[in-house]
Amino acid sequence: MLQYQFQVHKPITTAHLAQTMTLLSLSAFELKQQIDSELAANPALEIIEERRCPHCKRVLPDNGACPICSRPMNTDNDEPIVYVSPMDDFIPMSDYDDSDFSEEPFSPATDDLTSYVIKQIAPELSKDQQLIAIHLLTNLDDDGFLSVKLVDVARYFHVPISQIEEVQKVIQLADPIGVGSINPQQALLIQLEVLSENNSIPEYSIDIVKDHMDLLSKRQYSEIAKKLKISVQRVEKIVEFISDNLNPFPARSHWGNVRNPSAPDSNVYHRPDVLISFSNNDPKMQMIVEIVMPYSGTLQVSPLYKQTIKQTDAELKDAMKGDLERASLFVKCLQQRNHTMQRLMLELVKIQKPYLTKGEKFLKPITRASLAGELEVHESTISRAVSGKSVQLPNRKIVPMAAFFDRSLSARTILREIVSAESKPLSDTEIQKKLDERGIQVARRTVAKYRAMEGILPAHLRQAA
DNA sequence: CTATGGCACGGATT
DNA sequence: AATCCGTGCCATAG
């Protein structure tokens, strides 16, 4: 990984500049495709595998120490660690069951998710079923899983558990697919089922999820292969399919405009491009930022190829030299991309730390342009780096990176708070005044717009609940 | 007269 | 150059 952290020089050629820009605008998933095709087209490029940290599975740098596990533990240093983290594998299941951040002061998006799902399924359900659906959907956790037991719900409604399951099934089939499952495994199975209706899914993928989930999350592919009596390569292929197409945490990919389902995201599963967490999950501790790289190895120009070129005839030499040039350019550009991403994220998390620790109210309204000024890069650079990327927050929610630049999120959050605390319906002008008292200056007209965005009715149609 | 929503302009983003 | 978002201005509903 050392080469990702090289001091990167200013781009010299326009080709370098252009390709760096292209790479910068790619998400981790798109980057993987790009690297794949480059790798296939150019024999001078190769990936060398790296040793992995036995604790966290991260790739170890040349000097041997894992940058996360063996980082200096001094807490007085609150400079966040930014690390390029290769994640070609399944998102670790262990992510799920350690301490839960759902009690953190983040306002859960479940309200939005609840109504979003209900709108989709309400027509299919009877009145009684709707009640059950609402009950289930109001008991979702941040990952989109049920936080109540089906048996308890059945008892609560005095109906057989099969009826509850029937409703649950309808919910699971709604977008985001798999929502309302009881665990990642169930969510994956549902997604496989849905996927198999229109596409072919690899043989054994269902078996793996159904019977060997524990092995899957521990990445013990050879064990799985043994049990199913198929080759390890085959298992790896299937795992790749699963991690490319499925989402073990339905709600985490649920972002975007809830009130505008007309533009649903084509992809079921959004993998984050950046992971933000705190060491020991403690917000007071050091922040860890991981830039996700799609490969676990280091991309480099093949030394072997360099050797071979010397012993080759003059005619072929030119072509090979071309490859070599191209390869080294690509590697440089990739380094540059990662370097830029690191600088960007470091600055971003430093500025938005209150948001990451204390919730949406504390999101600072910054512009891409201002950040570009800080980093002394062109604003279009920031623009490219941000667009189309997603970030997993410490509370495990996945949001578009653009959310860090949302000018109105904190205002809208506070607005919601004001409205829910009102004793009598407040007019927009009054709300504007209240916002002003809390340090947010917006026009009255804007209050109206925020209100609409949050789905809050105008004052005269609002009854003090 | 007050509270809101529609439309258009200007700056920021893409 | 095209698009999105916050605002100001104005018309309309109560």
Side-chain angles (χ1 to χ4, degrees):
Chain A
M1 276 301 108
L2 197 60
Q3 62 166 287
Y4 288 132
Q5 279 146 25
F6 272 173
Q7 183 57 48
V8 179
H9 338 281
K10 281 267 180 321
I12 310 127
T13 65
T14 52
H16 186 179
L17 188 68
Q19 193 168 12
T20 305
M21 284 299 151
T22 314
L23 291 182
L24 192 60
S25 61
L26 299 181
S27 69
F29 181 69
E30 292 160 334
L31 190 63
K32 179 177 163 64
Q33 297 175 336
Q34 189 70 35
I35 294 178
D36 276 340
S37 73
E38 202 64 33
L39 220 46
N42 195 332
L45 266 185
E46 68 176 16
I47 287 187
I48 50 167
E49 283 298 319
E50 306 263 354
R51 290 174 305 131
R52 285 189 175 240
C53 167
H55 303 292
C56 62
K57 307 291 182 203
R58 290 176 176 91
V59 167
L60 298 177
D62 292 348
N63 60 23
C66 173
I68 303 294
C69 293
S70 64
R71 71 193 172 279
M73 290 297 281
N74 57 331
T75 48
D76 35 288
N77 176 14
D78 46 333
E79 184 82 352
I81 301 181
V82 184
Y83 172 63
V84 178
S85 174
M87 298 282 279
D88 58 335
D89 284 322
F90 208 69
I91 286 190
M93 286 298 162
S94 55
D95 246 23
Y96 176 60
D97 46 31
D98 48 271
S99 83
D100 64 325
F101 253 65
S102 49
E103 290 176 18
E104 281 305 301
F106 262 98
S107 65
T110 39
D111 282 347
D112 283 342
L113 185 58
T114 302
S115 56
Y116 176 68
V117 177
I118 285 184
K119 271 184 207 151
Q120 300 172 62
I121 61 173
E124 304 178 44
L125 300 175
S126 71
K127 275 275 176 305
D128 289 346
Q129 286 179 318
Q130 284 180 18
L131 287 179
I132 297 174
I134 289 171
H135 184 86
L136 291 176
L137 287 170
T138 46
N139 284 292
L140 293 177
D141 64 22
D142 280 341
D143 284 323
F145 298 120
L146 289 180
S147 50
V148 289
K149 288 209 172 74
L150 288 185
V151 216
D152 296 337
V153 182
R155 202 175 300 141
Y156 180 83
F157 282 97
H158 302 293
V159 297
I161 195 164
S162 59
Q163 283 192 31
I164 307 292
E165 282 171 346
E166 206 178 309
V167 177
Q168 185 198 15
K169 189 73 191 241
V170 177
I171 294 174
Q172 287 171 319
L173 295 179
D175 180 76
I177 297 169
V179 65
S181 301
I182 52 172
N183 56 30
Q185 182 183 25
Q186 203 181 14
L188 291 180
L189 282 174
I190 293 283
Q191 288 164 17
L192 279 175
E193 189 182 321
V194 171
L195 219 52
S196 66
E197 282 170 20
N198 297 318
N199 304 290
S200 61
I201 58 174
E203 201 183 347
Y204 293 116
S205 49
I206 292 184
D207 305 73
I208 289 180
V209 174
K210 196 188 260 172
D211 303 327
H212 305 293
M213 192 66 183
D214 49 339
L215 296 175
L216 178 64
S217 49
K218 284 187 236 147
R219 295 206 188 93
Q220 294 174 350
Y221 304 146
S222 50
E223 283 296 306
I224 298 177
K226 222 183 283 169
K227 299 241 172 166
L228 289 174
K229 299 193 174 58
I230 58 178
S231 72
V232 177
Q233 288 80 12
R234 194 145 169 211
V235 174
E236 281 169 357
K237 265 268 157 55
I238 298 172
V239 170
E240 194 184 323
F241 172 85
I242 290 177
S243 73
D244 279 350
N245 294 290
L246 306 183
N247 178 4
F249 308 100
R252 287 199 204 168
S253 67
H254 185 263
W255 80 60
N257 197 340
V258 179
R259 275 161 202 72
N260 194 2
S262 54
D265 250 304
S266 54
N267 238 336
V268 194
Y269 181 28
H270 293 272
R271 254 205 266 210
D273 301 285
V274 176
L275 306 173
I276 303 177
S277 56
F278 295 101
S279 56
N280 301 334
N281 271 345
D282 180 353
K284 288 187 286 298
M285 301 284 279
Q286 203 167 15
M287 210 177 335
I288 301 169
V289 181
E290 297 176 60
I291 314 284
V292 175
M293 280 301 289
Y295 276 101
S296 63
T298 301
L299 195 68
Q300 65 169 23
V301 179
S302 162
L304 188 66
Y305 200 84
K306 272 188 199 162
Q307 284 297 318
T308 326
I309 205 168
K310 289 182 190 144
Q311 308 153 10
T312 314
D313 303 341
E315 314 154 27
L316 282 173
K317 223 172 196 166
D318 279 350
M320 290 179 78
K321 272 216 172 110
D323 282 345
L324 214 56
E325 286 278 305
R326 203 181 143 86
S328 103
L329 177 66
F330 190 76
V331 170
K332 266 192 205 136
C333 290
L334 194 61
Q335 286 171 15
Q336 178 107 34
R337 171 201 192 261
N338 290 332
H339 180 70
T340 308
M341 287 297 288
Q342 287 180 50
R343 290 211 305 146
L344 166 65
M345 285 313 299
L346 178 64
E347 202 57 35
L348 207 47
V349 295
K350 277 204 271 188
I351 293 173
Q352 298 292 19
K353 187 162 184 189
Y355 162 65
L356 295 168
T357 54
K358 293 188 272 180
E360 299 185 336
K361 268 196 289 185
F362 298 89
L363 184 71
K364 284 190 199 141
I366 53 170
T367 71
R368 292 157 171 80
S370 67
L371 197 64
E374 294 279 319
L375 295 176
E376 297 178 309
V377 294
H378 198 275
E379 31 190 286
S380 75
T381 309
I382 304 286
S383 203
R384 286 164 190 278
V386 167
S387 71
K389 303 233 173 39
S390 50
V391 179
Q392 178 168 319
L393 305 180
N395 68 357
R396 309 261 160 67
K397 223 192 283 181
I398 297 179
V399 300
M401 199 188 281
F404 283 78
F405 299 90
D406 193 317
R407 205 146 36 118
S408 62
L409 183 61
S410 75
R412 295 203 314 267
T413 310
I414 296 178
L415 181 146
R416 266 207 307 267
E417 216 172 79
I418 291 174
V419 172
S420 60
E422 72 187 3
S423 47
K424 70 171 176 51
L426 297 170
S427 75
D428 287 351
T429 317
E430 290 165 319
I431 295 177
Q432 179 196 5
K433 225 172 130 209
K434 289 239 177 205
L435 282 172
D436 190 40
E437 284 164 17
R438 299 181 58 162
I440 295 180
Q441 287 94 31
V442 284
R444 184 239 93 210
R445 188 65 192 80
T446 309
V447 174
K449 295 244 161 141
Y450 287 173
R451 205 171 31 69
M453 280 190 205
E454 295 301 319
I456 300 170
L457 292 170
H460 59 280
L461 296 176
R462 220 158 60 221
Q463 288 311 315

